[in-house]
Amino acid sequence: LLSCRLYCEEAKAPQRRSCQTVLAEALDIVVRSFAPILPHLAEEVFQYIPYKKDSEGVFRTGWINASSAWKKPGIEEAIEGACAMRDSFLGSISGKNALEYEVIIVIEPGLLFELMEALQAEETSSVSQLNEIMMASQTTLLSELPKETPSDANIIKGTFLINLEGGDICEQCSYKVLARPIAKAKCPRCRRYTAESPSTPCPRCLQVLAAAAARGST
């Protein structure tokens, strides 16, 4: 997830910048957390942080004060639900390369489906947050199984308990996960199976390369 966002997206793409923001915030909190018991290590790490800091030393920054903007209702449940489905997917292909598969997630209309839609607005995507969490090359989010699904398909069933508003909203939701080998070629740049041929980058990488070339020509 991190490597794809950091190394495959355009330098100033929101996906890449948001990933860097999260890493910076996590590093700041971790360093200030262990500063009281590992002061020299914390100070050394702080001095090498490669972005502008508000203070000259870690002990002048004050205690942790994470912004309330990080707490968004439903996001934690959406991520946990997606991770539960990912575990079902990875368990169904035990020992195999997840990128060689596409995933179909089937959820009946309801709260869990809405949470997954927050991670993937499109029906099928290879670049959505949901697909990144699933670790597959492509993820499809549906409300019912495709009609062409074989009768002997390996369909993994699971449930996830949604707990929102301190327990005021509680719903047990079921889902189905279907993994099948993807028919596309491996992209020579991002290594996902989303290209039309082994010698041609996938659409996302072509767009990133075109943008980089345009910046270089200006």
Side-chain angles (χ1 to χ4, degrees), residues 74-100:
I75 292 297
E76 182 178 352
E77 287 73 18
I79 298 298
E80 289 180 351
C83 288
M85 296 174 200
R86 179 192 62 195
D87 291 344
S88 297
F89 159 57
L90 295 178
S92 70
I93 60 164
S94 181
K96 298 179 181 178
N97 183 1
L99 290 175
E100 295 179 358

Side-chain angles (χ1 to χ4, degrees), residues 34-137:
F34 68 66
I37 54 176
L38 295 170
H40 299 293
L41 176 60
E43 186 62 38
E44 183 175 4
V45 172
F46 187 82
Q47 294 302 325
Y48 279 94
I49 289 178
Y51 50 83
K52 185 177 179 180
K53 302 176 285 289
D54 296 331
S55 177
E56 295 181 356
V58 66
F59 289 100
R60 295 180 181 272
T61 62
W63 190 235
I64 301 167
N65 185 26
S67 171
S68 59
W70 291 100
K71 184 64 176 178
K72 294 184 178 180
I75 292 297
E76 182 178 352
E77 287 73 18
I79 298 298
E80 289 180 351
C83 288
M85 296 174 200
R86 179 192 62 195
D87 291 344
S88 297
F89 159 57
L90 295 178
S92 70
I93 60 164
S94 181
K96 298 179 181 178
N97 183 1
L99 290 175
E100 295 179 358
Y101 289 82
E102 61 174 324
V103 182
I104 298 175
I105 299 173
V106 181
I107 309 171
E108 293 184 359
L111 185 53
L112 182 58
F113 190 90
E114 293 174 3
L115 290 176
M116 292 306 105
E117 281 189 314
L119 300 177
Q120 179 170 301
E122 309 89 348
E123 182 177 284
T124 300
S125 177
S126 60
V127 296
S128 68
Q129 296 179 71
L130 179 58
N131 186 66
E132 289 179 338
I133 294 171
M134 296 303 293
M135 300 169 61
S137 279

Side-chain angles (χ1 to χ4, degrees), residues 141-203:
L141 179 62
L142 301 172
S143 57
E144 59 182 16
L145 279 172
K147 294 181 180 179
E148 67 274 12
T149 303
S151 58
D152 59 347
N154 183 21
I155 301 174
I156 308 300
K157 299 180 180 180
T159 60
F160 180 73
L161 178 63
I162 298 174
N163 195 335
L164 293 170
E165 305 295 336
D168 292 339
I169 301 176
C170 192
E171 184 176 319
Q172 184 83 17
C173 302
S174 61
Y175 62 84
K176 299 175 183 177
V177 174
L178 171 61
R180 59 189 186 189
I182 195 163
K184 295 185 178 181
K186 180 191 286 188
C187 172
R189 182 174 181 271
C190 69
R191 304 300 181 184
R192 287 185 175 181
Y193 290 77
T194 51
E196 297 301 323
S197 72
S199 59
T200 305
C202 66

